[in-house]
Each structure stands twice: as C-alpha cells, then as structure tokens.
Amino acid sequence: MKSVLSLPNLIKLSMKFQTPIYAPNSQLLASGHRPPHVQVRRGYFHDISEEGQDALNVNPSAIRTFLTTQNIDFKQGFTCYSAACTQCRKCQNPTAKKAKIFINSATGSFNCSECTWSGTWKQFEAVVDAFQHGDPADSEKNAVHSRLRGLDDASEAAEEERRLTHCLTSLSAAEFADLVKLHQIQGLKMSTLMELGVQVYSNKRDLFFPRYHSNQNQCCGYKRMIVRELPEETVITEQIFPKEAGVLGLFGWNLIPKKATELVITSNEFDAMIIRQETGKPVVALPKGISLLPVEALPLLEQFSKIVLWLDGSGNRSWQAAKIFSRKLDEKRCHLVSPELCPTRALNAFQSGTEVNGIILKARPVSHKSVVTFGSFRSDVLNELTNREDFSGLRWQRFPALNRILKGHRRGELTVLTGPTGSGKTTFLSEYSLDLCNQGLRTLWGSFEIKNSRLAKTMLNQFARKSMQKNVTEFDLWADKFEQLALYFMAFHGQETLDNVFEAMLHAVYVHDIEHVIVDNLQFMMGATNFKTIHDRIVKQDQLIEGFRKFSTSHDCHVTLVVHPRKEMEGQELTAQSIYGGAKASQEADNILILQNNRGKSGLLQGKKYIEIVKNRYDGDLGIVPLSYDKDSQSYVKKERAKGDNTVGATTTKKTGKAAAAFAAAKPSTFTGAATDGATEDEDEDQSLTNRIVI
C-alpha cells in the first residue's frame, strides 16, 4: 500500500540500509520538509528463511505418522496427501462434504479446495491440536495463510481490471487482423480467444488474460500484454498480477473438466490456445513461463494421471525447466515434448504446418531418475551437438570476457570463488549474480557475512548503476524495478548449521524453482561446529563441499560457493592450491574463480583487480577478466555511454519493425534495461587486454 514517507519512516529506511541515505537533505527534514515523490512500499526482496525453518522437520513419513496418530483418514496422491476438510466452519456445512485439504508432501503446507483455508505444517498441527481441545474458532483464525487470505482481494482487483477491457467482438475485422499481426498469432481464431476469456483494452492493442485457481468461476489474477511504441521498434511487455506473493493461478483452468485425467501444460497463453483449438485437450499455461511452477497449483493438478509438458521450445533452458517441473509433479505421470521432437513452441509449430496433436501423442515419458539407457538421453546429446552455444549456458551481459572463457552459466555446476580478505568478493559476486538474475535466472542468496539489507543496498546501486544515496528521490523508481527480479534471500547471519542451510535451499528449489544458489561464505558455516584439531576442521569442510556438490548435481541447480584462501606471502598471487582446507574444493568444483588484487606488480594490470579463471571443467579454457571498479555504483562494470530506455522488470516477449531481425539474433534476456546497456564498449577493451594475457 502506498503512503507518504514520514520522518519516522525515513529513519527506519535509513536504519534498514545501515547508512544515513537521506543525509544530503537532513536540514530540510529537520524543518519538516520531505523529498518529493518518495513513497513507502513493501520490501523488495523475498526472505525464505521462515519457510525453510518451518519445513525443517517435515517429510512424508512425519506427515503420514501425524495423520495416522490423529485418526485422520487420508489418501496419498502424486504430490499431496488429501483428507476431508472438516476443520473450518464453511466446510462443516453438509453441502461441502467433498471438500478436501491438500497437504504438500514435501513442505507440509496445506489448503482446502473449497474454502481456501490454508497454512504451514506447524499451523496445521496446531489447528488439529486445538480442535482436539474444542477450540475450533481460535484455530481457524490462526491458520489462515496470508497468501490465500488475500485471494478474495486479488479476485476483486482482477475483476476490476477486467471491467477496463472490452470483448473482442467490439473490434472490426480490420482491427482484429491488425491485432493478430501485431502479436504474431496467425492461425488463432477469435472464438478461441473468447472461449478462454481473452479481452482487449481500449487502445485495441493490449490484451488481458485471466487466471483461475480453485474457483473456476472466479478470476484470481491476470496478465496484461502491453504494447509500447519506441522510436525505432515496437516492444511488447508483460504485466502480471498478483506477483509471487499471491496466488498466481493458471490460464485456462476455468475450462478444465472435473473428471479430466490428462492435461497439457505450456509456458505461453498463445500456445495453450492453439492446443485447445486444434486438439480440444485440457490445457493450461503457467503464470510466469518457464521460470516458475507455483506450489499452490500442485493440488489442482492431483486429478491428472498424465501430464504433457510442452514448454517454450526456444532452447536448453526450456528443456531443463521441463525436466525440473516433471520432478515436482512426479515423474511417473509426466511426458515431455523434447527439442528433438519439436524444436519450437506449439503456436510456431502450427504456423509451420506441423500437426499439434501428433506432437503431443509422441511426447516421451520421463525415465526413471536412477536407471537410464542411452536412448533416454539420446535427444540431449543430439541437442547439445547441434546447439552448442545454447547448451553452453546463460551468458553474462556485464562481463562479456567471462563468456569467452567460461562460455556461460550452466545449471548443475559448482563454482568456487576465492580471494584475499577485503578484496571485494561479495561486491563482485553480487553483481555477477545480479547480471544473471536480471535475465530471469531465479536466484537465492545466502549471505552469512553481511546483513541482507546491506547486500540489497549494494545490489540496488549496481542495478541502477548509480548511487542511491546521491539519488534518493529515485529510490522508489529503482526499488520497484528491482523488486520484480526473482531474487530471494536466506536470513541466516553469522554461524549456521549445514542442516538448516540445506533445508532452506531444498525448500527454495522446490517451492520457488531456484536455479542459482550463492553461499557467502563457507567459513561462517564452519564456525557453527567445535573442532578439536585443524584436521577435524578440514575434514568437516570437505564434507560441506561434498554436500554442495551433490546438491547442485541432484537438483540441477548451480551453486556458487565463497571459500577463503590460506594466508600467502605478501605480494604473492593466489592459485587453486591457495584455497583453505584440503583438496576437495578444487577437485569437486567445476569452475574456480580467484579475485586477484594486483597492487605491487608492474605490467598491464598494475594496481588493478581482475578475476582469474584457473579451472573450467566445461571446455578447459582459462584466462582473466579485468575489472574496473566504480565506487558510486559499487559496480565492476564501466558506466555506459549509450543512451536508451532503461526500463527494467518487464518481460520482453516480441519486437516488431526494424529491430525484429536483430532482436531474434541477439536472443534477448527475460529482463531488459540497465544490465544490457554499454556492454559492447567494455567487451572491446576487455578483449584487447585479455588477448594479451590469457593463460
């Protein structure tokens, strides 16, 4: 909720960022004046620590044991346990006997299919205990989860937005043809769009897509596709409501029959519509494309014994997302449309003359995760051979030299970063991860050394490429954009046990589909255990590194781990052997990055910092990445000289006009703006320097 930023709020905000960010205006504040256009908004980063702590002792066995001991009849499904909902007053009504509580087998979170009664596993245990003692009213009040508590409010807001739109029949034939051409949806009939509730705004260009949850008659959210005319191009962006803090809902869920047993899941509304139009099969579209499969949607999908995943089809990330989602949905019932079977999304396949229904029928079942044959991953090998660049990983935009050496950021790998104390490892790593997160890579930060508020302040400066302390009136502008990133934080600080950290990571990967985890740093986790000898400490560190290695492999999630080096002689550069502890870190890591601080040596890098890549398991290339630090923005990338639109936080889906060919060739990121401008300038300079000093 927006409000005027009062003096107490200014003080709180200043304390939050550990710095007097309003100091330049202190005299005005003392006199009662406030900077213009500054508003308080909700926190712009997601803290998953409470969720992880709540799930710490939850597992399927514990859930089954509790339900059995409490004499609650339950049924085990693919992802949830279900039981009759008799706890809340709405479902005690005789007409609601079929209402079910769904309990997620991984997290223990629950919700009712009828009354949206929901909460965490701890709350469920407390509610059941309260009912045993005859106090249902109090237990019901305490168990309502804030996420679903706002479902009615979200529905009201979505319906209010819908009232701003018009039926497609209000368009003339020429206007509808222009709309089809603009959004490149040739082949879709107006009747199909109308059947799925798509509407158009007054400008006759923007589209409204409704989303539904348990109540198929009540819209709980929406996506708006916004057309923006720029001087040389037309850009289509997406506005999603609600954000991840609410129930996102599924597009197309309102048309799913109650007794349907097969479902097709797509990552795009237009793909869902063409599948519906051509096959008549039940189909839904995910709310945030390939980046997220919401946990609150899993109970809705319990009725299906077969689920076909046909995601974007634009490359390796879509294929990886499909495999990750299949684990979340239970692999036994999932079938995948692989890039080998169809390298494009459903609408493009239809437009090229491919039979959509034939592709769905050929979707392959997911093989057992522990027993595989070459045939099960033959398509992966072929795709990697034919699409080498795409499979090399997500590319950095702020650090082009990293792309030339590491080729990209890949899931399932372990990266170790080391460097002298105080050299700026955390500052570099925050921008290194922000670059990827700004392109849609879902990121979890575990900072044990500094507080999340201070880390967020650094990242916000890097994101805006300017000092927020010097531009405080722009705080809301950049904070709103920053808030839209899929960035999560663990609120652990100081010494923490491995079990707690791993539980938080597991929870985040399952619930939030995290693709990149940063742990800064290993030594703080080591401090949570008492050691009798140095040997015991080294053995423990090796066990931690082995644990992170297994986590990254088994969950197909990239883990970046900060490890302090041993003390070296003054002026001596660090090597892979400088990493503290045994040889486990250098053995297990796929990539080893060293932040070198060259203060005493002469030559091209005299007095400069640079990243040295001393291990690259992907293809063996080694070398250095020169760094140029800007103190104001706390950035290791030079300020851009290019002028352009710095809009960040909207998902770019299409561009038309003169820039269409360039847009397609560049394979743009999910998010556009500050992270992309000026990268080419730095690349030329870095290339010249790197070519002369590559190892």
Side-chain angles (χ1 to χ4, degrees):
M1 181 179 181
K2 299 180 180 180
S3 61
V4 178
L5 188 58
S6 62
L7 182 57
N9 285 329
L10 292 176
I11 297 172
K12 289 179 182 178
L13 189 60
S14 176
M15 293 174 63
K16 175 180 178 180
F17 283 93
Q18 304 295 310
T19 178
I21 63 176
Y22 287 94
N25 298 317
S26 57
Q27 293 181 351
L28 291 175
L29 294 175
S31 63
H33 296 282
R34 292 186 289 269
H37 311 302
V38 180
Q39 297 172 322
V40 173
R41 301 178 188 271
R42 64 184 176 86
Y44 51 83
F45 60 82
H46 313 274
D47 179 3
I48 61 98
S49 300
E50 292 183 4
E51 300 173 8
Q53 288 292 329
D54 182 65
L56 189 60
N57 298 316
V58 178
N59 57 68
S61 178
I63 294 173
R64 290 194 300 268
T65 300
F66 179 81
L67 295 176
T68 301
T69 56
Q70 295 296 328
N71 296 319
I72 298 176
D73 293 331
F74 65 93
K75 183 178 180 181
Q76 183 170 350
F78 295 102
T79 62
C80 303
Y81 298 103
S82 60
C85 181
T86 58
Q87 307 297 324
C88 66
R89 287 176 175 152
K90 182 175 181 179
C91 288
Q92 289 176 348
N93 190 304
T95 61
K97 289 183 179 180
K98 294 183 180 180
K100 292 181 179 179
I101 291 179
F102 289 95
I103 304 170
N104 188 284
S105 58
T107 66
S109 60
F110 70 94
N111 69 275
C112 173
S113 61
E114 296 293 330
C115 63
T116 67
W117 179 58
S118 65
T120 64
W121 176 245
K122 284 185 178 179
Q123 290 173 324
F124 182 80
E125 290 180 311
V127 166
V128 172
D129 183 66
F131 267 91
Q132 296 291 342
H133 292 84
D135 189 12
D138 183 63
S139 61
E140 181 181 335
K141 178 182 67 175
N142 292 333
V144 177
H145 194 285
S146 60
R147 174 173 289 184
L148 284 176
R149 185 187 301 157
L151 188 58
D152 290 338
D153 293 338
S155 297
E156 183 178 344
E159 290 297 338
E160 184 177 346
E161 182 74 14
R162 193 207 295 265
R163 287 192 285 271
L164 301 176
T165 65
H166 307 281
C167 181
L168 291 173
T169 54
S170 63
L171 301 177
S172 66
E175 289 171 337
F176 182 73
D178 289 341
L179 188 70
V180 168
K181 183 178 179 180
L182 176 65
H183 291 276
Q184 299 178 15
I185 54 175
Q186 290 83 355
L188 275 175
K189 302 174 183 177
M190 180 186 289
S191 58
T192 303
L193 276 72
M194 293 176 60
E195 180 186 26
L196 285 152
V198 179
Q199 304 226 116
V200 64
Y201 285 83
S202 299
N203 62 6
K204 300 180 181 180
R205 298 164 69 82
D206 294 4
L207 292 177
F208 172 89
F209 300 88
R211 291 205 175 102
Y212 300 85
H213 192 250
S214 54
N215 188 345
Q216 293 181 299
N217 299 318
Q218 185 179 35
C219 174
C220 69
Y222 64 88
K223 175 192 286 187
R224 177 176 181 176
M225 299 194 74
I226 304 172
V227 180
R228 300 175 58 219
E229 294 288 351
L230 299 181
E232 296 183 355
E233 60 191 2
T234 298
V235 180
I236 301 179
T237 58
E238 298 174 352
Q239 176 187 348
I240 295 174
F241 175 85
K243 297 181 181 179
E244 289 187 31
V247 176
L248 294 172
L250 299 172
F251 174 78
W253 183 252
N254 57 315
L255 299 180
I256 303 299
K258 295 288 186 181
K259 295 184 178 180
T261 58
E262 294 187 12
L263 179 72
V264 181
I265 295 179
T266 73
S267 55
N268 182 281
E269 289 80 5
F270 295 134
D271 291 341
M273 285 188 279
I274 199 65
I275 291 173
R276 173 78 182 183
Q277 175 180 296
E278 295 302 308
T279 69
K281 295 180 180 293
V283 58
V284 296
L286 296 175
K288 301 199 74 174
I290 63 172
S291 67
L292 180 67
L293 172 60
V295 174
E296 63 266 20
L298 297 182
L300 302 180
L301 308 180
E302 280 294 296
Q303 72 182 73
F304 304 103
S305 57
K306 179 181 178 180
I307 295 177
V308 177
L309 289 162
W310 189 351
L311 302 187
D312 195 319
S314 62
N316 183 45
R317 286 197 67 202
S318 299
W319 178 231
Q320 288 181 325
K323 292 188 286 187
I324 294 297
F325 291 167
S326 68
R327 297 179 194 174
K328 203 169 183 177
L329 291 164
D330 191 336
E331 292 174 324
K332 295 191 294 291
R333 59 172 174 163
C334 290
H335 291 62
L336 306 181
V337 175
S338 67
E340 179 189 21
L341 183 60
C342 184
T344 64
R345 41 182 287 215
L347 181 58
N348 292 345
F350 172 78
Q351 292 171 342
S352 64
T354 304
E355 185 186 0
V356 174
N357 192 49
I359 295 294
I360 295 174
L361 293 176
K362 293 178 182 178
R364 296 177 179 176
V366 179
S367 58
H368 193 280
K369 62 182 178 181
S370 300
V371 181
V372 296
T373 63
F374 175 71
S376 65
F377 54 82
R378 175 175 173 170
S379 60
D380 289 349
V381 176
L382 176 62
N383 290 328
E384 187 165 354
L385 290 173
T386 55
N387 300 287
R388 170 82 174 171
E389 183 176 342
D390 188 40
F391 272 76
S392 64
L394 184 63
R395 304 215 163 208
W396 287 273
Q397 295 179 333
R398 297 190 176 205
F399 302 101
L402 278 178
N403 298 324
R404 291 192 292 270
I405 302 171
L406 293 176
K407 305 303 183 293
H409 184 273
R410 294 165 291 277
R411 297 181 67 154
E413 291 190 356
L414 175 66
T415 294
V416 169
L417 172 67
T418 191
T421 301
S423 60
K425 295 186 295 296
T426 301
T427 303
F428 166 76
L429 193 53
S430 67
E431 187 166 23
Y432 165 98
S433 61
L434 178 63
D435 186 336
L436 300 168
C437 186
N438 199 31
Q439 299 179 64
L441 192 77
R442 303 181 69 82
T443 303
L444 172 66
W445 250 94
S447 176
F448 302 93
E449 200 165 2
I450 63 174
K451 292 184 178 180
N452 284 331
S453 56
R454 184 172 295 177
L455 174 63
K457 175 198 168 189
T458 298
M459 298 184 82
L460 189 60
N461 286 337
Q462 293 171 339
F463 181 73
R465 293 197 174 188
K466 62 179 70 175
S467 170
M468 286 290 96
Q469 182 171 345
K470 295 180 179 179
N471 298 275
V472 69
T473 56
E474 299 181 27
F475 172 78
D476 260 354
L477 171 68
W478 289 104
D480 283 350
K481 296 174 181 178
F482 187 66
E483 187 177 13
Q484 296 183 49
L485 300 180
L487 183 60
Y488 297 78
F489 294 79
M490 290 185 279
F492 301 130
H493 185 68
Q495 299 179 359
E496 193 54 63
T497 63
L498 177 64
D499 288 344
N500 287 347
V501 174
F502 273 173
E503 285 293 340
M505 290 166 57
L506 285 167
H507 177 84
V509 167
Y510 180 81
V511 175
H512 304 295
D513 295 313
I514 294 298
E515 302 170 84
H516 186 199
V517 177
I518 300 102
V519 178
D520 181 16
N521 63 61
L522 188 66
Q523 271 65 27
F524 272 82
M525 295 179 62
M526 296 289 297
T529 307
N530 295 321
F531 302 101
K532 294 182 180 179
T533 65
I534 295 179
H535 175 73
D536 293 339
R537 185 178 182 88
I538 292 176
V539 170
K540 181 62 177 179
Q541 176 171 314
D542 287 349
Q543 292 174 347
L544 291 176
I545 292 173
E546 183 178 358
F548 284 114
R549 168 77 270 176
K550 289 181 178 178
F551 180 91
S552 64
T553 302
S554 60
H555 297 282
D556 200 22
C557 177
H558 194 114
V559 175
T560 300
L561 185 62
V562 177
V563 183
H564 281 317
R566 296 194 298 264
K567 296 294 182 181
E568 301 285 7
M569 295 181 61
E570 184 69 24
Q572 182 176 345
E573 290 187 342
L574 300 178
T575 67
Q577 286 69 42
S578 301
I579 299 174
Y580 182 85
K584 196 73 171 178
S586 57
Q587 291 172 349
E588 296 284 3
D590 296 288
N591 313 293
I592 298 180
L593 281 60
I594 302 176
L595 179 56
Q596 303 281 19
N597 195 354
N598 191 356
R599 293 180 177 176
K601 293 193 174 184
S602 60
L604 294 171
L605 293 173
Q606 182 179 11
K608 292 182 177 292
K609 293 181 181 179
Y610 58 91
I611 292 292
E612 182 177 6
I613 292 91
V614 298
K615 183 177 182 181
N616 173 10
R617 185 170 281 163
Y618 179 70
D619 68 357
D621 283 357
L622 306 177
I624 69 168
V625 178
L627 300 176
S628 179
Y629 184 68
D630 178 68
K631 188 174 181 180
D632 278 351
S633 62
Q634 297 178 277
S635 171
Y636 281 106
V637 179
K638 292 180 180 178
K639 292 182 178 179
E640 65 281 313
R641 299 171 194 166
K643 295 181 180 180
D645 180 26
N646 282 333
T647 302
V648 182
T651 305
T652 301
T653 56
K654 296 186 181 70
K655 295 185 180 182
T656 60
K658 297 180 180 179
F663 177 82
K667 294 183 179 179
S669 62
T670 302
F671 296 93
T672 61
T676 64
D677 295 338
T680 305
E681 303 175 359
D682 297 331
E683 184 171 354
D684 293 337
E685 184 175 340
D686 289 347
Q687 177 70 71
S688 175
L689 188 57
T690 305
N691 285 341
R692 286 178 278 171
I693 50 184
V694 168
I695 297 174

